[in-house]
Amino acid sequence: MRLGFSAVTAGLVDPREAFALAAELGLDLELSVDLQEMFPQLPGARELREMGRAAGVGFTVHLPFVDLNLASVVEAAWTTSLERMQRALEFAEAVEAQVGVLHTGQIPLRHPVLIEAAKERLARALERLGPPPVPVAVENLALDRHDLLEEPAELVRLVEDAGEGFGYTLDLPHAYVQGGEAQIRAYLEAMQASRAPLLHLHLHDNLGDRDAHLPVGAGSLPYPAFKEALAGFAGTAALEVVGGAEGVKNSLRALRGAWDI
C-alpha cells in the first residue's frame, strides 16, 4: 500500500508545509482539484509536479465535487460538471497522479423516475470520460439523503459498466457511518469480488454518527478488524484527517499499530 494524506482535510493550506510533512513522513499527497479551481494563485500542475519530484512525493488527486454533479438531470448543470471533470482529469495527468477519486453525484428527490434518470446521466458521464488519462476510483458515499447511490451493488454495477480505467475508492469511515462494521465489509467484499479493481482507500475515523474525519484511532472504527482483508492491497490510500500535522502523525502511528504497515 502506498500511503498519503490530504493536506486540505488536515488544514495545511501552505503547499510548502504540506510537502515538508509528506517528505518527513515518507507519504504522498492527495491534491484537491476544487481547491485549485477556487484559488488559482496556488502552484499549478507543472510546478506541483516538479515540487513532488524534488521532494520524492507522489500524488493522488481528489477530483472536484463542490457545485458539481455528474448525475444532474439538468442539462446545463450536467454539461458544466462534465467539462469541469474533463479539465480535472487533465490536471491529474499533468501532475502524474497515480489515481483520481470521483464522487458519484446527487439527486434532489428520491423519486423512482428521478433516480433512474440520474443513474443514466451518471453512466453517460463516465462513458464520456473514459478511458480516462489516469485511473479513476469511484468512491462510496451514502452519507446524505441526496446521495444517488446507496448500496454496494449499485456502485459495482456503475463501475463495471464504465469499463477500462475505472475502479473503486473504499472510504471505510463513510461506510461505517452508513451501517457500521457490517457495511464496511459489504463494500469491501463487493469491490474485491468485482471485475473492476479496488484502487484506493480513504482512511479517517468517526464515532459512527457523522463523517467527522477524525484522526485514525480517535473514533470507534475497528481498523484492526480489517487487517487481514486488506493485507494484500497494493494500491494507494490517503489519510483524510483533521488536526494538522499532529493529526496526520497520530493517524500514521495508529494505522501502523492496527495494520503493521
Side-chain angles (χ1 to χ4, degrees):
M1 180 192 311
R2 186 163 178 135
L3 185 61
F5 72 94
S6 167
V8 174
T9 310
L12 304 177
V13 295
D14 184 341
R16 293 168 298 183
E17 184 180 2
F19 272 101
L21 181 63
E24 174 192 346
L25 300 178
L27 300 177
D28 290 339
L29 283 175
E30 183 145 294
L31 303 174
S32 164
V33 178
D34 282 318
L35 200 69
Q36 295 294 133
E37 288 184 321
M38 293 174 190
F39 300 102
Q41 67 269 31
L42 289 171
R46 180 180 298 178
E47 185 177 356
L48 286 167
R49 184 182 67 231
E50 295 309 313
M51 291 170 72
R53 287 176 177 174
V57 172
F59 300 113
T60 59
V61 166
H62 201 304
L63 298 168
F65 64 91
V66 177
D67 293 333
L68 182 150
N69 186 7
L70 291 177
S72 178
V73 294
V74 178
E75 182 69 27
W78 183 81
T79 300
T80 300
S81 296
L82 184 62
E83 291 171 351
R84 284 180 61 197
M85 193 62 70
Q86 288 167 331
R87 290 195 298 271
L89 286 170
E90 292 169 1
F91 170 86
E93 182 181 28
V95 299
E96 299 177 347
Q98 299 157 85
V99 72
V101 177
L102 184 140
H103 281 197
T104 50
Q106 297 189 320
I107 54 172
L109 179 69
R110 297 204 70 82
H111 185 283
V113 173
L114 277 178
I115 291 173
E116 289 309 308
K119 286 181 178 180
E120 190 273 336
R121 289 278 191 163
L122 180 57
R124 279 178 53 200
L126 297 193
E127 181 181 0
R128 293 275 293 274
L129 294 171
V134 301
V136 170
V138 185
E139 182 176 359
N140 60 295
L141 295 170
L143 297 170
D144 184 278
R145 63 189 178 90
H146 298 303
D147 287 334
L148 175 60
L149 303 183
E150 295 186 306
E151 296 299 332
E154 294 178 292
L155 186 61
V156 167
R157 189 177 307 115
L158 171 76
V159 174
E160 288 188 343
D161 288 348
E164 182 182 354
F166 292 91
Y168 305 101
T169 292
L170 174 59
D171 191 305
L172 282 78
H174 284 179
Y176 190 58
V177 172
Q178 187 186 4
E181 183 177 341
Q183 190 70 351
I184 298 176
R185 292 198 181 279
Y187 273 108
L188 182 56
E189 290 169 5
M191 291 174 179
Q192 289 179 330
S194 172
R195 64 175 179 267
L198 174 58
L199 297 170
H200 191 59
L201 303 176
H202 275 168
L203 308 173
H204 43 105
D205 216 333
N206 60 62
L207 297 172
D209 56 345
R210 64 185 182 90
D211 189 28
H213 286 268
L214 300 174
V216 175
S220 58
L221 197 158
Y223 273 94
F226 299 97
K227 175 182 175 180
E228 183 177 347
L230 288 166
F233 178 68
T236 55
L239 295 163
E240 285 195 326
V241 300
V242 299
E246 285 307 306
V248 175
K249 291 177 181 178
N250 290 340
S251 295
L252 184 57
R253 282 193 291 268
L255 195 61
R256 284 173 173 166
W259 287 354
D260 296 332
I261 61 172

